[in-house]
Amino acid sequence: MTMKTSFVFVLLSSLAVAPSSSECFDKSTYYAIDHDIEAIASGIDNEDDLVHFYGGIVRLVAHDFMDYDRNSDTPMGTDGCIDWGHEVNLGLWGSIWCDDCDLTKLYNDKYSQLSKADFWVAAANAVIRNLSVDKTLDMVDTFLWGRKDADSCPGQGDRVPTGSGCREIEDVFLDAMGLNWRDAVALLGAHTIGKAHADFSGHDGYWMPTAVDSLVFDKQYYEELVRRPWRAHNIGAKEEDFIASTEMTHKEPQLMLKTDMCLWFDTDNYYPCCSRSNRYFNGQNWCDWEEKLSDSECTRYDTDNSRMEAVKTVVEFLGGPRPNENNGPFYKSFASAWFKATTNGHDNLKAVSSKCW
């Protein structure tokens, strides 16, 4: 599958030169990758394509680390191996990683001395830094390298969650990956950038209200989750999700997956539902836009439910009384969770050096 518009690949001769040996990975190499990702992005003049480029890189790494299973004889994890043909990975090959894709060209022309896994993580780190507020979320000090690429990874796609709810989070993030609820909630915050494509996942829309909002890596994901009137969508289909938009209020659909909504509501056990039945638009209850859901308010968790850890984390990531611009709790927890997820299953990884001699 291809993008609507081909990305403009920046001439490599104008970019910084990376070291030619994989025996050392220094900060100049790390920031050269960062610079090159930003340079490619600067040549993309379509916001939708730019969101896809940035979000796709982060999705690529997430799909590489979400297959990690500490209980398996073949644990996988960040190993530069994706089952491109599996339906859960559709859209990655052909628009993010392929012979003619800008990210792949950049790797082949300048960074092939690194493993793909290391390069992918560094590229995703670059996306997150460049889109974070004032570029403050710089994870260079927690970036480790030395991952080995796998030649094949049968069954990889079967381990990646599809967005069906919190049972998947418990199975994948908690049980298989060994993370906790705080880590899971933080990693899902990456949905603040990127877009779901109907051709790839069956879901369609931004998690944020607009494409412009989807080009900022911040805590808005949690604000949207809590304050929007979300109504069940695609009811009865394989791609059940939630939507907050209408053709009168949004240029593009705004969605949440059931995996997002279950951080705040018990949508695994009570679906379909609507999150706020007291909201109206032009005299019509927002919950009754496509289906009558105003009498099906989404259910909150009991206080003794283990998933209340997710709810409490969402509250913390909101940063205090609204409105506020406090991204600190989210940024700190995201960096910690990202480190765990991208280093799972690896021994003897190394920190970047100050300088390669």
Side-chain angles (χ1 to χ4, degrees):
M1 298 188 182
T2 60
M3 292 289 295
K4 296 177 185 176
T5 307
S6 297
F7 293 135
V8 178
F9 189 70
V10 180
L11 293 176
L12 293 176
S13 60
S14 66
L15 304 178
V17 177
S20 60
S21 172
S22 60
E23 295 179 358
C24 180
F25 194 142
D26 63 7
K27 288 187 177 182
S28 66
T29 303
Y30 183 90
Y31 285 114
I33 294 172
D34 184 292
H35 171 79
D36 290 348
I37 294 298
E38 189 173 22
I40 293 173
S42 70
I44 304 171
D45 57 8
N46 179 288
E47 289 176 350
D48 190 64
D49 287 348
L50 187 57
V51 169
H52 182 78
F53 173 70
Y54 276 139
I57 294 173
V58 176
R59 179 179 176 231
L60 177 68
V61 174
H63 282 227
D64 197 20
F65 70 57
M66 287 190 297
D67 61 16
Y68 177 73
D69 186 351
R70 59 180 176 166
N71 305 309
S72 173
D73 292 335
T74 53
M76 299 190 192
T78 45
D79 56 6
C81 189
I82 300 285
D83 180 358
W84 304 114
H86 196 285
E87 62 179 356
V88 77
N89 297 318
L90 292 180
L92 291 174
W93 179 265
S95 65
I96 300 300
W97 192 259
C98 64
D99 292 342
D100 292 327
C101 294
D102 289 339
L103 186 68
T104 315
K105 290 179 179 178
L106 176 64
Y107 173 74
N108 289 334
D109 289 348
K110 291 189 62 179
Y111 300 106
S112 60
Q113 77 279 2
L114 306 174
S115 68
K116 286 187 298 182
D118 284 341
F119 174 74
W120 288 354
V121 174
N125 283 13
V127 169
I128 292 163
R129 189 188 80 86
N130 283 305
L131 297 188
S132 64
V133 178
D134 297 326
K135 298 187 177 182
T136 54
L137 186 50
D138 188 339
M139 296 184 285
V140 64
D141 291 334
T142 56
F143 174 77
L144 301 181
W145 68 282
R147 299 167 185 82
K148 305 297 183 183
D149 291 336
D151 294 328
S152 63
C153 45
Q156 182 271 338
D158 295 333
R159 298 183 181 184
V160 177
T162 61
S164 65
C166 275
R167 292 187 184 91
E168 278 192 324
I169 294 179
E170 289 164 341
D171 290 344
V172 175
F173 287 85
L174 277 60
D175 295 340
M177 294 179 64
L179 305 179
N180 56 43
W181 272 112
R182 173 179 292 275
D183 297 327
V185 174
L187 290 173
L188 283 166
H191 281 160
T192 195
I193 59 175
K195 179 184 179 182
H197 292 260
D199 290 341
F200 303 153
S201 65
H203 303 282
D204 183 33
Y206 296 99
W207 279 264
M208 298 297 102
T210 67
V212 173
D213 293 320
S214 302
L215 291 170
V216 181
F217 191 88
D218 62 4
K219 66 183 178 68
Q220 188 177 352
Y221 165 82
Y222 308 102
E223 295 172 348
E224 297 295 319
L225 173 64
V226 170
R227 71 184 181 91
R228 291 278 178 187
W230 297 99
R231 59 191 188 276
H233 182 242
N234 292 328
I235 299 170
K238 180 180 178 183
E239 300 84 10
E240 287 184 333
D241 53 23
F242 285 81
I243 193 169
S245 55
T246 73
E247 64 276 7
M248 299 174 66
T249 60
H250 288 62
K251 181 179 178 181
E252 297 276 357
Q254 183 181 6
L255 90 161
M256 286 279 172
L257 303 178
K258 293 173 77 174
T259 305
D260 303 305
M261 291 295 291
C262 71
L263 302 180
W264 195 248
F265 299 101
D266 189 2
T267 51
D268 279 13
N269 294 309
Y270 302 97
Y271 182 92
C273 66
C274 185
S275 67
R276 293 194 169 209
S277 59
N278 61 347
R279 294 292 186 90
Y280 290 82
F281 180 75
N282 286 350
Q284 179 177 350
N285 192 301
W286 203 281
C287 294
D288 296 336
W289 203 264
E290 294 99 0
E291 306 265 352
K292 182 173 174 53
L293 294 170
S294 56
D295 57 353
S296 301
E297 187 96 9
C298 291
T299 302
R300 301 297 298 274
Y301 291 109
D302 293 333
T303 56
D304 59 351
N305 193 303
S306 62
R307 294 178 185 174
M308 280 299 294
E309 290 300 315
V311 174
K312 294 175 183 177
T313 302
V314 170
V315 171
E316 182 181 342
F317 289 174
L318 290 172
R322 291 175 287 161
N324 71 76
E325 298 180 359
N326 180 19
N327 287 291
F330 168 49
Y331 282 178
K332 180 179 179 180
S333 293
F334 181 86
S336 174
W338 186 258
F339 172 81
K340 294 177 187 177
T342 57
T343 58
N344 252 339
H346 293 284
D347 296 321
N348 302 318
L349 295 182
K350 295 164 282 190
V352 293
S353 303
S354 298
K355 187 176 181 63
C356 290
W357 300 96

